[in-house]
Amino acid sequence: MVTIPPRLLPADGRFGSGPSKVRPEQVTALTAAGATLLGTSHRQPPVKNLVGRIREGLAELFKMPDGYEVVLGNGGSSAFWEVATACLVERRAQAAVFGEFGAKFAAATARAPFLAAPQALRAEPGAVALLAASPGGDDPLGPVDVHATVHNETSTGAMISPRRAPSSVEAGALTLIDATSAAGALPVDLSETDVYYFAPQKVFASDGGLWLAIASPTAIERAGRIEADATGSRWIPEFLSFISALTNSRANQTLNTPAVATLVMLAEQIDWLNTQGGLTWSVARCAESAANLYRWAEASEYATCFVTDPAHRSTVVGTIDLAESIDAQAVVAALRENGILDVFPYRKLGRNQLRIAMFPAIDPADVKALTKCVDYVVSG
């Protein structure tokens, strides 16, 4: 076993890309809620007030445009891909695919028997694919009415700046952004989106099983029209109904019983981000962590940044390739033995790589300490 000197170790060794580091204050808040919230009805004022606090906090954090609404639903981002497929895509979607999570939405729309095959714009892992204008008359499957992409690919460590596709507004198409590992830590102009959706187990340092979406009036109108006009060819279970989730959210509740502990930790994290300085502060803190990581990799003799274009290197999930002569799995194991956790690569990527979360709960100084610990392990 390699024993890393205590002077090199980070103060907190949690660098997992989700579930992510939970701050002690969130655990304290959870303990305090034990006698008043946990184990009580989510239809009663205490829990409904908590949901209202979450919705108001997100509106403040993202400087939500007029008419946009915060919607909550059960099931996480995986469930929301199905919600969007059922309730937001009218006929055909376009998906920018540059990692595992963009591919999942494309697959969901491809499976739907009531939709035309999606237009998938693909890039190799480590690069990015950008949304494009809707296909012209030469495409036999016709135009698209939803443009979908990922703000930050958790699997590859590549990020984009969300923008509507050219002519999408004029064509009446919606723009959907999967922000599961980006929301609350990367800059975003919500007016460039119609649905900005995410789950709470990454930046918001809570548990999974919940999806949150910030939806434009146009998206809400689209969902209402599709659900009202749904026939036997498009069966929409209530659990996958966007309008059902919206109706419940307006009443500060969810369709089904939520994990109240998840709500408590989420609310605490949102309040913390807003108190620290909001999205501007969070973006800067994550950028500092990323600068510590990428400067180290660029100066290293054995480590390189997997994402070659600096503009697309994520500031919340960093992916670092190691030289073939170094066994990344052995490095990950040695770090774990010293209390540095979950820096393994995404399983399906299959690279000799480290993947390091840099969410706002993670101190930039701990990211710098991590790089010194990797050097120590590799040097032997």
Side-chain angles (χ1 to χ4, degrees):
M1 171 180 172
V2 177
T3 301
I4 300 173
R7 61 182 173 79
L8 296 181
L9 293 171
D12 194 298
R14 291 174 290 175
F15 297 95
S17 296
S20 66
K21 173 186 173 182
V22 176
R23 294 179 304 109
E25 293 83 358
Q26 292 172 274
V27 179
T28 299
L30 190 59
T31 301
T36 58
L37 287 173
L38 303 186
T40 69
S41 171
H42 69 294
R43 306 293 184 193
Q44 296 303 308
V47 177
K48 293 178 73 170
N49 291 341
L50 178 64
V51 174
R53 175 180 156 200
I54 289 168
R55 296 178 71 223
E56 291 170 5
L58 289 174
E60 177 185 349
L61 181 66
F62 289 107
K63 302 296 186 287
M64 196 167 69
D66 290 344
Y68 282 61
E69 297 191 51
V70 177
V71 186
L72 294 81
N74 307 91
S77 295
S78 296
F80 190 80
W81 294 324
E82 311 299 340
V83 171
T85 297
C87 305
L88 293 171
V89 184
E90 204 152 20
R91 184 181 174 277
R92 189 185 184 200
Q94 177 189 94
V97 179
F98 52 98
E100 185 68 18
F101 297 96
K104 288 182 181 295
F105 179 73
T109 58
R111 288 193 303 266
F114 48 82
L115 297 178
Q119 181 193 30
L121 308 176
R122 300 183 182 276
E124 291 299 313
V128 301
L130 301 178
L131 297 175
S134 181
D138 56 338
D139 190 317
L141 294 178
V144 301
D145 54 80
V146 159
H147 298 269
T149 190
V150 177
H151 195 172
N152 183 81
E153 255 301 344
T154 320
S155 62
T156 67
M159 68 178 184
I160 63 160
S161 297
R163 295 288 184 273
R164 293 185 185 274
S167 304
S168 60
V169 174
E170 295 85 345
L174 301 180
T175 299
L176 277 55
I177 308 293
D178 181 336
T180 294
S181 61
L186 295 184
V188 62
D189 175 2
L190 289 181
S191 67
E192 291 286 337
T193 77
D194 289 295
V195 183
Y196 189 73
Y197 64 94
F198 49 95
Q201 72 269 25
K202 299 185 187 291
V203 171
F204 295 102
S206 188
D207 284 329
L210 186 75
W211 60 259
L212 302 104
I214 303 177
S216 73
T218 306
I220 292 169
E221 185 279 330
R222 167 79 67 85
R225 176 161 45 80
I226 287 176
E227 294 192 45
D229 294 342
T231 64
S233 64
R234 185 181 294 213
W235 174 57
I236 302 175
E238 188 178 17
F239 184 77
L240 299 182
S241 165
F242 184 88
I243 295 302
S244 178
L246 174 67
T247 300
N248 278 279
S249 296
R250 286 171 172 169
N252 287 333
Q253 57 190 22
T254 51
L255 172 66
N256 302 107
T257 304
V260 177
T262 296
L263 297 175
V264 171
M265 292 194 294
L266 170 59
E268 182 68 23
Q269 186 77 343
I270 293 169
D271 287 352
W272 176 69
L273 291 172
N274 281 326
T275 300
Q276 294 299 313
L279 191 58
T280 299
W281 174 85
S282 182
V283 168
R285 181 172 169 90
C286 295
E288 181 182 354
S289 290
N292 290 340
L293 179 68
Y294 296 137
R295 278 199 297 261
W296 163 76
E298 288 171 341
S300 174
E301 294 182 355
Y302 66 86
T304 56
C305 299
F306 175 50
V307 179
T308 56
D309 185 343
H312 294 307
R313 285 177 193 157
S314 171
T315 56
V316 289
V317 177
T319 45
I320 304 297
D321 280 345
L322 302 185
E324 292 183 5
S325 58
I326 297 167
D327 184 347
Q329 291 186 0
V331 173
V332 170
L335 293 172
R336 174 167 281 276
E337 289 172 348
N338 286 271
I340 298 173
L341 310 178
D342 300 344
V343 296
F344 47 81
Y346 189 73
R347 61 191 183 282
K348 292 184 180 179
L349 205 55
R351 297 188 69 87
N352 193 51
Q353 187 178 85
L354 305 178
R355 184 176 58 145
I356 297 155
M358 301 172 288
F359 300 130
I362 296 170
D363 193 322
D366 281 346
V367 175
K368 182 177 287 187
L370 168 63
T371 64
K372 297 182 184 301
C373 291
V374 174
D375 282 339
Y376 187 88
V377 169
V378 170
S379 67

